[in-house]
Amino acid sequence: MINVDLIFKIAAIGIIVSVLNMVLNKAGREEQAMMTTLVGIIVVLMMVINLVSELFETVKAMFQLY
Amino acid sequence: MLIKVISSIVIIISFTLIGGIHANTYSNRTKLLSQLLISLQMLETEISYSATPLPILLSNIGKKSKEDIGSIFLKASEILSKKEGYTFSYLWSMILDSEGMALDLYPEDLEIFKQLGNNLGATDINNQIKHIRLIMEELRRNHEDAIIAEKRNVKLYKQLGLLAGFAIAIVLF
């Protein structure tokens, strides 16, 4: 609902990270494949973290769990 | 919107080309090594069949070889003919240190090629030919390694370039 583009971006990054992982594994460079997977996770996390903190604020305010 | 599409296409193309350029270093090394082997073969033939003195010999080989390797021989012949009093082995390592860095050869390859300087013009014909053949054998081994490395790496770097371009374009837009 809010900002559907973000979902598409995350999906595209996921696809690219998995293709990169496959290519690097097949070429024998497993450490670098692991590294790019981690980098992909961090990038997606950075893109999403604002929304997640907003979600927690909303939940706290809604249930008045201060 | 149109600017976004155009700039992401530009980013993807440029990263693919960067990957292609890096892949080129591998195929260049293979080509250079095979040119080197051909030039050394010509050197051996000229030494065993004619008694040309070193500067003329080097400039003949330099003119007959392809540009990258030939320029090294030509430069050596040029400095030798100026008769500035350098010994051939000092001159050879000096030239290889300055010119060889610009080429795509690995340091091991350059070291083997430098060995040539210790023997040319120093001993008699048979010993020189034996030394040249020894150097050619070692370079042949490196040449086969280079072919294997090229096959493995060229496709990899081109694909990596393309994927990295896609990733950056998507993250930015």
Side-chain angles (χ1 to χ4, degrees):
Chain A
M1 188 171 43
I2 162 177
N3 207 356
V4 193
D5 284 345
L6 191 59
I7 300 188
F8 289 144
K9 263 202 216 178
I10 295 181
I13 291 187
I15 294 182
I16 288 188
V17 163
S18 73
V19 169
L20 261 177
N21 199 346
M22 210 172 61
V23 162
L24 283 171
N25 266 332
K26 179 144 185 274
R29 315 234 185 167
E30 287 172 359
E31 330 85 48
Q32 283 159 347
M34 191 77 57
M35 235 168 50
T36 56
T37 312
L38 281 179
V39 164
I41 292 183
I42 291 182
V43 163
V44 167
L45 202 60
M46 271 185 359
M47 283 165 65
V48 149
I49 197 161
N50 276 332
L51 298 178
V52 167
S53 88
E54 229 183 270
L55 170 72
F56 280 144
E57 292 294 320
T58 323
V59 166
K60 258 201 233 172
M62 169 111 40
F63 291 118
Q64 289 168 351
L65 286 176
Y66 274 87
Chain B
M1 184 56 209
L2 186 59
I3 289 193
K4 270 192 188 178
V5 170
I6 292 183
S7 43
S8 34
I9 290 185
V10 164
I11 290 182
I12 293 179
I13 291 183
S14 54
F15 269 91
T16 314
L17 288 178
I18 290 179
I21 290 180
H22 193 75
N24 261 345
T25 59
Y26 289 97
S27 49
N28 273 349
R29 181 186 173 218
T30 315
K31 272 189 224 151
L32 278 175
L33 279 177
S34 69
Q35 282 173 22
L36 203 49
L37 283 171
I38 294 179
S39 306
L40 283 179
Q41 182 66 49
M42 283 195 281
L43 190 64
E44 179 189 334
T45 317
E46 279 240 16
I47 286 187
S48 69
Y49 286 123
S50 57
T52 41
L54 204 50
I56 304 184
L57 176 67
L58 287 179
S59 86
N60 281 348
I61 304 276
K63 285 184 209 150
K64 283 192 242 172
S65 310
K66 292 223 178 130
E67 193 191 314
D68 302 317
I69 303 290
S71 67
I72 294 186
F73 283 112
L74 284 175
K75 194 156 184 225
S77 139
E78 191 187 307
I79 301 188
L80 264 186
S81 17
K82 281 196 222 155
K83 301 212 174 167
E84 281 173 5
Y86 294 115
T87 60
F88 183 66
S89 64
Y90 175 72
L91 171 71
W92 192 244
S93 8
M94 203 177 67
I95 289 186
L96 278 188
D97 281 335
S98 60
E99 303 276 322
M101 288 299 132
L103 298 176
D104 277 330
L105 291 172
Y106 283 4
E108 308 91 73
D109 305 330
L110 274 183
E111 275 311 306
I112 298 181
F113 195 30
K114 268 191 205 172
Q115 299 293 330
L116 196 61
N118 299 339
N119 301 313
L120 270 188
T123 53
D124 65 320
I125 289 188
N126 278 331
N127 277 335
Q128 286 186 22
I129 293 185
K130 276 191 211 148
H131 278 122
I132 293 182
R133 285 215 184 119
L134 173 65
I135 292 181
M136 274 174 62
E137 270 311 307
E138 298 184 352
L139 280 180
R140 215 164 271 153
R141 231 180 299 150
N142 278 21
H143 180 59
E144 284 163 8
D145 286 340
I147 292 184
I148 294 179
E150 177 189 356
K151 263 197 214 142
R152 215 182 53 198
N153 285 325
V154 162
K155 229 167 48 161
L156 170 66
Y157 278 108
K158 283 194 191 157
Q159 287 173 344
L160 274 183
L162 180 67
L163 288 174
F166 266 113
I168 304 251
I170 288 190
V171 165
L172 286 181
F173 296 122

